[in-house]
Amino acid sequence: MNTPGLYHILFISTALFFIGVYGFFTRRNLITILMSIELILNSVCLNFIAFNKYVWPEKLDGVFFTLFIIAIAAAEAALAIAIIINLYRSHNTIDVNAAEEMKY
Amino acid sequence: MPELILILLIPIMPFAAFLLLGLANGNFIKRWAGAIGTGAILVSAGAALLTAYDYFFVYGGSGGAYRKILVTEYEWLQFTPEISIKMGLLLDPVAVMMMVVISFISLMVHSYSICYLKGEQRFNIYFSYLGLFTFSMLALVMSSNIFQMYIFWELVGVSSFLLIGFYYQKPSAVAAAKKAFIITRFADLGLLIGILILAFEAKSLDFEAIIGQFGHGKSASVSTSSAWLGISTISWAMLLVFIGGAGKSAMFPLHVWLPDAMEGPTPVSALIHAATMVVAGVFLVARLFPVYYFSAPEILNLIAYVGVFSALIAAIIACTQTDIKRVLAYSTMSQIGFMMFSLGVSGFGEEGLGFTASQFHLFTHAFFKALLFLCAGLVIHEVHSNEVSKMGGLRKSMPLTHISFLIACLAIAGIPPFAGFFSKEEILLAAWERNKPVYWIALFTSALTAFYMFRLYFLIFRNSNKHLHQPEHREGSAGQMVPLFVLAAGSVVLGLIPFGRFVSSDGRPLATELHLVFSIAPVLLAILGVSTAAWLYNAPGNRPQEVSQRLGNLYKAAYHKFYIDEVWLFLTKKVIMNGIGKPAAWFDKNVVNALVNFSGNSTIGLASKIKKLQSGKVQLYGMVYLFTVIASVLIIIFFINRN
């Protein structure tokens, strides 16, 4: 077997990205939407790693960015879950369509 | 030299009283408002008397003439490098004389009002308004700049409005206040335009600069350089300025507000609508007299005829009115007409007898007219009515008021040796020397004056066969009687002042002498007027009705004030309303409103269309965001590839 090249990894990350986008648009459950966002973030991380490894192997910038993104994703997940819990308390549901009071 | 602090004290004290009484709301202030206001005016009047003494006897004269002294001045607003509005204090004989009259009469009226308005709900507000009026009137006469004077001119109008409408629960008082304000405001428009033209022509707004430019014999060529309708620009300006003065001074045909203004409290009528504010027009003409005389002689001539005509019709109307205060109001208008035409016929310098006489009459008139109004106030308090038919025989229950009223009547009728005799003689003499037609009308009017004043006197105090009321208060309290006595004493002795020595058109003392032969005709006519009044009104039977029936239409026209109010109503309601008001309203409704509504409605329509975008659905927002990003990336790539 050949070792996987840059294009394989880019394909996987693109696929992950659009799976995440699809999930973001179609799911109604806020937890699932949050998971979709994580998928999108992970696809971006994968991109950074792949480009770092195949294009500038002597540098570490991509790895650092990935670490940043993981940290930010953790913080974001904590915030999002706090929001979801509050929504559940007030609306008794975590359906995203239930939270549309902020309109005209 | 003049002491600035002393002079500043004169207008500042009433202003301080106005602020204190108007803003403070404590019970203490409310109870003592009268005393506080009177105290402030007392200080002001004392300072005014001191200043007058200093001016006339210490520092004012130099080289045989009284100078104009600019006490202080600072620049307030600058429009162009040449024209700027300055605020200053200018002392000249006329201003000093006015200062004394205003603060003194105001002091009398303050003292009188304490008892007159006791128990009134808005006691402190009344005194605060009086303070505002006194402040603005004093500042008006001391102004060094015509624009500064205009500011105080309007303030005087406002305080007059506030005081006429003091009994604001009475619809007639509200209507009268509005009428007075609108008419004088309308006239002030003329004054403002006149001031602007003057400023444009003279390149200055200072009285001294304007008089320096147009107030001497050499200026005629300058002013006639540009003309419109055969009258020079400067004459137009002076005509417009006179219209402003005529509005304030109730000259025909702008006099209709003055009789209605009697709806205000009686002391206010004494102060504002008899002694001080209504002579502001005379003061204005006197201030600018050199300009009128040298640069606008035709306007001065017009002033003479307007003045004498106003004096005549006011005197005729006064003979027929039955409301005591209205009679006094028309008599005020008539006397101001005397002052006006006296200025109008006056010459300058050696010939300036008319000027001196006018100011002299202003001075004496302030005393006896204020006295008449204050007496009328007591009488109205006693019988609870303004109608003379409800009065009669009051001399028994109010002997002191009766004596005061009689003295004032004698003074205004021109019976020697009371004050009015001297000033009126001078006016008649000035008219005799320079304008015969005016003299004959004035002579007739002064006989009428004696008649209508004594008609009032006999109807109120004599004619004792009527007992229509039970005496209640009898005389007024001490605070009311003392001003009466002071003013009565003034009406007796003030005529002996050699007025020409102090106030004259060019500042130089003017020798005025009494021509005994000349005085015979006016005095005889006055006595004839008095005896006619006595024959008609101090006798049993109904002679007055018979005479009025004999006079027929003339009496009816005079009783209805020659229908001048109706003419004004026709002009404003029919002509101006239908000719200008209604088309303007149509334009406003159908063009201006339509434009505004269109812009509003189209915004609302557009907003209701696009507000759907803000749906509150997070996923929709996300989708819009995503496709926007994709589209922009595609566009950017497309443009990059093209280059």
Side-chain angles (χ1 to χ4, degrees):
Chain A
M1 287 287 283
N2 290 333
T3 50
L6 178 59
Y7 289 101
H8 298 98
I9 298 174
L10 286 186
F11 178 77
I12 290 174
S13 100
T14 313
L16 261 182
F17 181 83
F18 280 103
I19 290 167
V21 169
Y22 178 77
F24 182 83
F25 289 145
T26 53
R27 297 293 116 180
R28 292 289 174 259
N29 189 315
L30 273 170
I31 299 283
T32 327
I33 290 175
L34 179 61
M35 286 157 70
S36 308
I37 294 171
E38 296 297 327
L39 276 185
I40 295 170
L41 281 170
N42 283 342
S43 80
V44 175
C45 289
L46 214 51
N47 258 6
F48 273 115
I49 294 288
F51 279 113
N52 194 12
K53 180 175 167 55
Y54 290 103
V55 185
W56 288 287
E58 72 283 3
K59 289 188 173 172
L60 284 171
D61 301 24
V63 178
F64 287 143
F65 256 104
T66 308
L67 284 173
F68 274 130
I69 292 173
I70 289 168
I72 289 168
E76 174 245 308
L79 264 181
I81 287 171
I83 292 172
I84 291 166
I85 289 172
N86 269 318
L87 188 73
Y88 184 74
R89 279 194 187 146
S90 61
H91 287 64
N92 269 331
T93 173
I94 50 170
D95 190 330
V96 70
N97 284 346
E100 54 166 34
E101 285 96 339
M102 298 277 283
K103 60 179 181 183
Y104 58 89
Chain B
M1 279 320 282
E3 281 179 65
L4 182 60
I5 300 294
L6 187 68
I7 296 168
L8 272 182
L9 209 57
I10 302 169
I12 292 296
M13 285 310 287
F15 187 64
F18 157 63
L19 286 183
L20 180 66
L21 301 177
L23 295 178
N25 209 20
N27 272 333
F28 178 80
I29 295 283
K30 276 199 173 153
R31 178 174 307 165
W32 294 102
I36 294 169
T38 313
I41 304 294
L42 186 63
V43 174
S44 176
L49 282 173
L50 262 179
T51 307
Y53 177 80
D54 284 350
Y55 179 82
F56 282 123
F57 297 108
V58 181
Y59 55 73
S62 75
Y66 285 111
R67 296 174 291 144
K68 291 186 179 191
I69 299 177
L70 196 58
V71 182
T72 176
E73 188 175 56
Y74 88 100
E75 197 154 303
W76 183 48
L77 282 177
Q78 188 166 38
F79 289 132
T80 66
E82 293 99 44
I83 296 187
S84 58
I85 297 180
K86 295 174 186 156
M87 288 291 198
L89 290 177
L90 182 70
L91 289 189
D92 69 353
V94 178
V96 172
M97 184 273 292
M98 289 289 286
M99 225 158 69
V100 172
V101 170
I102 294 160
S103 56
F104 189 74
I105 303 284
S106 180
L107 176 64
M108 296 295 119
V109 166
H110 268 81
S111 155
Y112 179 92
S113 302
I114 294 176
C115 296
Y116 194 81
L117 281 124
K118 193 179 269 172
E120 191 67 42
Q121 189 71 45
R122 301 194 303 153
F123 191 61
N124 58 329
I125 301 291
Y126 171 82
F127 279 96
S128 127
Y129 288 166
L130 272 192
L132 175 65
F133 169 76
T134 313
F135 157 70
S136 4
M137 192 69 206
L138 285 167
L140 189 159
V141 298
M142 295 161 87
S143 298
S144 69
N145 180 296
I146 192 165
F147 203 88
Q148 181 193 356
M149 194 212 69
Y150 180 73
I151 293 170
F152 292 113
W153 184 274
E154 293 299 348
L155 266 179
V156 164
V158 169
S159 29
S160 160
F161 166 80
L162 290 172
L163 283 165
I164 296 171
F166 182 71
Y167 298 125
Y168 63 95
Q169 299 94 335
K170 257 174 36 186
S172 59
V174 174
K178 276 194 291 191
K179 187 173 179 183
F181 193 66
I182 291 169
I183 292 177
T184 50
R185 230 8 236 109
F186 171 70
D188 291 347
L189 181 66
L191 176 58
L192 182 60
I193 298 172
I195 288 175
L196 295 180
I197 300 176
L198 262 185
F200 180 77
E201 290 283 314
K203 301 280 178 282
S204 170
L205 284 159
D206 291 351
F207 279 118
E208 299 221 58
I210 293 170
I211 291 170
Q213 197 151 352
F214 297 110
H216 50 79
K218 282 160 273 174
S219 59
S221 57
V222 185
S223 56
T224 47
S225 56
S226 55
W228 186 56
L229 295 183
I231 300 174
S232 68
T233 322
I234 195 77
S235 295
W236 278 108
M238 297 320 283
L239 174 65
L240 288 165
V241 168
F242 172 66
I243 289 176
K248 268 272 185 297
S249 284
M251 288 292 99
F252 176 85
L254 295 168
H255 65 271
V256 287
W257 64 271
L258 185 60
D260 289 18
M262 296 300 133
E263 291 290 345
T266 310
V268 168
S269 309
L271 177 62
I272 300 185
H273 306 114
T276 54
M277 188 193 82
V278 285
V279 295
V282 179
F283 171 77
L284 180 64
V285 176
R287 246 289 148 80
L288 292 170
F289 185 72
V291 184
Y292 275 109
Y293 184 72
F294 288 109
S295 297
E298 64 274 45
I299 306 300
L300 201 57
N301 214 10
L302 176 78
I303 291 176
Y305 284 103
V306 169
V308 78
F309 186 64
S310 304
L312 178 66
I313 62 161
I316 296 175
I317 296 173
C319 294
T320 60
Q321 298 300 303
T322 56
D323 179 326
I324 171 170
K325 285 181 76 182
R326 274 174 189 266
V327 176
L328 292 178
Y330 278 110
S331 129
T332 305
M333 177 189 161
S334 175
Q335 299 305 310
I336 295 169
F338 270 81
M339 301 171 204
M340 276 290 184
F341 81 70
S342 175
L343 279 175
V345 300
S346 174
F348 194 76
E350 292 291 306
E351 312 244 280
L353 179 63
F355 183 93
T356 301
S358 158
Q359 300 307 306
F360 193 16
H361 198 56
L362 190 161
F363 183 69
T364 55
H365 172 255
F367 284 85
F368 53 70
K369 188 50 67 68
L371 177 56
L372 284 171
F373 268 108
L374 295 187
C375 291
L378 288 180
V379 170
I380 291 169
H381 236 197
E382 173 79 15
V383 300
H384 301 294
S385 169
N386 282 9
E387 287 298 314
V388 282
S389 56
K390 302 260 171 64
M391 303 166 186
L394 284 178
R395 79 176 185 284
K396 283 186 186 128
S397 55
M398 314 173 80
L400 296 174
T401 314
H402 161 240
I403 295 290
S404 310
F405 196 88
L406 180 61
I407 289 173
C409 280
L410 288 169
I412 196 173
I415 308 282
F418 295 93
F421 164 73
F422 294 94
S423 50
K424 201 174 271 182
E425 267 342 270
E426 272 186 27
I427 289 182
L428 290 174
L429 187 61
W432 169 259
E433 280 172 357
R434 298 185 57 97
N435 195 332
K436 289 282 170 1
V438 168
Y439 170 76
W440 293 116
I441 302 176
L443 195 61
F444 177 63
T445 309
S446 74
L448 273 182
T449 308
F451 170 72
Y452 67 70
M453 284 321 299
F454 275 86
R455 165 178 179 263
L456 208 55
Y457 166 76
F458 287 121
L459 281 176
I460 297 171
F461 290 103
R462 299 270 166 175
N463 218 347
S464 48
N465 46 354
K466 291 188 284 184
H467 281 292
L468 295 167
H469 75 284
Q470 295 300 316
E472 296 169 31
H473 313 287
R474 299 188 171 269
E475 298 289 0
S477 65
Q480 291 171 314
M481 297 317 283
V482 169
L484 246 56
F485 299 148
V486 173
L487 290 172
S491 308
V492 177
V493 298
L494 284 179
L496 302 173
I497 292 179
F499 208 73
R501 193 179 159 296
F502 301 116
V503 180
S504 63
S505 51
D506 57 353
R508 296 178 184 287
L510 185 74
T512 52
E513 57 213 69
L514 214 55
H515 300 280
L516 280 180
V517 184
F518 180 80
S519 302
I520 290 174
V523 172
L524 276 182
L525 275 173
I527 291 172
L528 181 69
V530 174
S531 35
T532 316
W535 180 74
L536 278 174
Y537 297 102
N538 195 24
N542 48 351
R543 280 183 194 151
Q545 281 84 342
E546 284 164 23
V547 173
S548 60
Q549 265 169 7
R550 201 79 56 78
L551 283 170
N553 282 337
L554 178 67
Y555 176 81
K556 232 169 96 184
Y559 184 75
H560 290 110
K561 306 155 205 162
F562 292 112
Y563 304 99
I564 296 164
D565 274 293
E566 280 75 10
V567 170
W568 274 112
L569 276 183
F570 174 77
L571 272 179
T572 49
K573 278 201 173 153
K574 294 276 155 54
V575 178
I576 296 180
M577 268 301 216
N578 291 337
I580 301 169
K582 285 197 175 156
W586 181 88
F587 184 80
D588 188 50
K589 215 177 271 171
N590 291 306
V591 179
V592 180
N593 262 12
L595 274 175
V596 174
N597 283 349
F598 173 72
S599 76
N601 286 340
S602 54
T603 312
I604 290 173
L606 190 65
S608 70
K609 294 252 161 48
I610 59 174
K611 75 180 178 188
K612 297 275 159 52
L613 281 177
Q614 200 166 22
S615 60
K617 293 194 197 318
V618 184
Q619 287 169 315
L620 195 63
Y621 294 170
M623 207 161 328
V624 171
Y625 172 71
L626 181 73
F627 284 110
T628 314
V629 169
I630 291 172
S632 7
V633 167
L634 285 180
I635 289 169
I636 290 167
I637 290 171
F638 173 73
F639 277 109
I640 288 172
N641 282 355
R642 250 195 8 178
N643 300 332

